[in-house]
Amino acid sequence: MFNTKRRSLRLATVGAVGAAAVVLATVPAFAKGNIDITVTPRTVAVGQTVKVAAAGSDDAAPYLLTCVEERIDGKGAWRAIECGKLIAAGEDAKVSTSVKAQHRGTLQFRAVLYGYQGAHDEHPVKERTSAVQTATVR
């Protein structure tokens, strides 16, 4: 009877370890990184300037580039307004720009981090996109 319990316990342990190995093998690895964007001031008059800065990092690609995109009043497609320099991974890819508010409404900004496989790669991959930040134009 003692050998039967021991055998059952051994089989249960081997089964649990095997199941854990299968689960760990099927779970994808996730790249570490982040992207942040800052917009100041949050409220401006027509003709004033809004400053936008963004920085991002990711370990999924050897080279990185951060761009700031804009759209007005939440309508239409996002358009790139400024990109930083292509940098080697391990450092923050940064960009900073100023936008002159031309019309009343809401300016929306987001940062996009692109990954490149080489310094001359012509097919970047969008790695991360920041949350949307806004500036109200009165």
Side-chain angles (χ1 to χ4, degrees), residues 61-133:
Y63 292 91
L64 301 170
L65 177 74
T66 299
C67 296
V68 171
E69 295 181 341
E70 172 194 47
R71 70 179 179 183
I72 300 170
D73 293 326
K75 298 175 184 173
W78 289 96
R79 67 179 189 93
I81 56 172
E82 187 78 31
C83 292
K85 293 182 180 179
L86 186 67
I87 58 108
E91 299 178 42
D92 280 351
K94 298 178 183 179
V95 61
S96 182
T97 189
S98 296
V99 177
K100 189 172 186 176
Q102 307 224 350
H103 305 285
R104 292 177 183 240
T106 303
L107 298 175
Q108 292 183 316
F109 301 97
R110 71 179 184 182
V112 180
L113 182 67
Y114 293 97
Y116 289 76
Q117 291 303 310
H120 303 289
D121 185 0
E122 295 182 12
H123 304 286
V125 174
K126 189 182 289 188
E127 300 291 347
R128 299 183 181 280
T129 303
S130 73
V132 175
Q133 297 291 320

Side-chain angles (χ1 to χ4, degrees), residues 10-25:
R10 187 178 303 148
L11 287 174
T13 303
V14 170
V17 170
V22 169
V23 168
L24 289 175

Side-chain angles (χ1 to χ4, degrees), residues 44-49 100-105 136-138:
V44 295
V46 172
Q48 288 184 315
T49 301
K100 189 172 186 176
Q102 307 224 350
H103 305 285
R104 292 177 183 240
T136 303
V137 183
R138 296 182 182 199

Side-chain angles (χ1 to χ4, degrees), residues 18-65:
V22 169
V23 168
L24 289 175
T26 59
V27 175
F30 291 98
K32 295 177 189 172
N34 63 16
I35 188 157
D36 296 308
I37 185 167
T38 305
V39 176
T40 55
R42 301 302 289 250
T43 303
V44 295
V46 172
Q48 288 184 315
T49 301
V50 176
K51 293 182 181 181
V52 183
S57 66
D58 200 299
D59 62 358
Y63 292 91
L64 301 170
L65 177 74

